[in-house]
Amino acid sequence: RLEDRNAWDWHPAVDIFDNDTNIVIKAELPGIDKQDIVIDVKDRVLTLKGERSSDNEVKDDHYYRRERTYGKFERSFSLPADVKVDDIKADYKDGVLRVDIPKPETQKPKQITIH
């Protein structure tokens, strides 16, 4: 079925970077309510998923152009082996989801004191 093939056609833009203490994932999710976003972690994979509902106040034949994407999305990211899942934090503001994943101790930069 065509609708099954398009079930995950929307892929939100994502930036992934790290700082001294965290791996950070920032995803653009404009027009989505916070309660419609799910973050799961299983077997070292963090998955973002949710759905942006279509605008039902306008009939399809009244559009001049329709470029915004609606429907379900799902993005998955591999995590380092020893991330503490309970320490992952997420914040959603102005259509941007930020997920802070504490780096494992072995990945944090260490400064060596010279004696």
Side-chain angles (χ1 to χ4, degrees):
R1 290 180 12 190
L2 179 61
E3 59 198 46
D4 290 341
R5 280 187 287 153
N6 294 328
W8 305 109
D9 274 353
W10 181 44
H11 301 285
V14 174
D15 290 338
I16 302 174
F17 59 93
D18 71 5
N19 54 33
D20 289 340
T21 57
N22 295 313
I23 299 166
V24 180
I25 299 173
K26 289 178 108 175
E28 291 182 350
L29 302 172
I32 299 177
D33 291 329
K34 180 169 61 173
Q35 63 267 18
D36 293 332
I37 302 168
V38 176
I39 304 171
D40 288 328
V41 179
K42 182 179 180 184
D43 298 329
R44 293 181 43 214
V45 176
L46 183 139
T47 302
L48 304 176
K49 56 187 167 183
E51 184 171 1
R52 180 163 51 196
S53 301
S54 93
D55 189 352
N56 293 326
E57 68 185 66
V58 179
K59 294 181 181 177
D60 284 343
D61 59 349
H62 290 187
Y63 276 97
Y64 292 104
R65 178 176 297 211
R66 190 169 187 174
E67 295 180 354
R68 295 171 58 210
T69 306
Y70 298 94
K72 295 178 182 179
F73 68 89
E74 183 172 320
R75 300 285 312 264
S76 295
F77 310 96
S78 296
L79 299 174
D82 44 3
V83 164
K84 294 181 182 173
V85 175
D86 293 338
D87 293 338
I88 296 174
K89 293 184 174 41
D91 183 50
Y92 185 62
K93 182 178 179 184
D94 298 331
V96 177
L97 174 68
R98 178 184 173 123
V99 181
D100 287 282
I101 305 157
K103 283 183 179 179
E105 290 295 324
T106 56
Q107 286 192 357
K108 289 183 184 175
K110 295 192 180 196
Q111 194 168 40
I112 308 298
T113 303
I114 302 172
H115 296 283

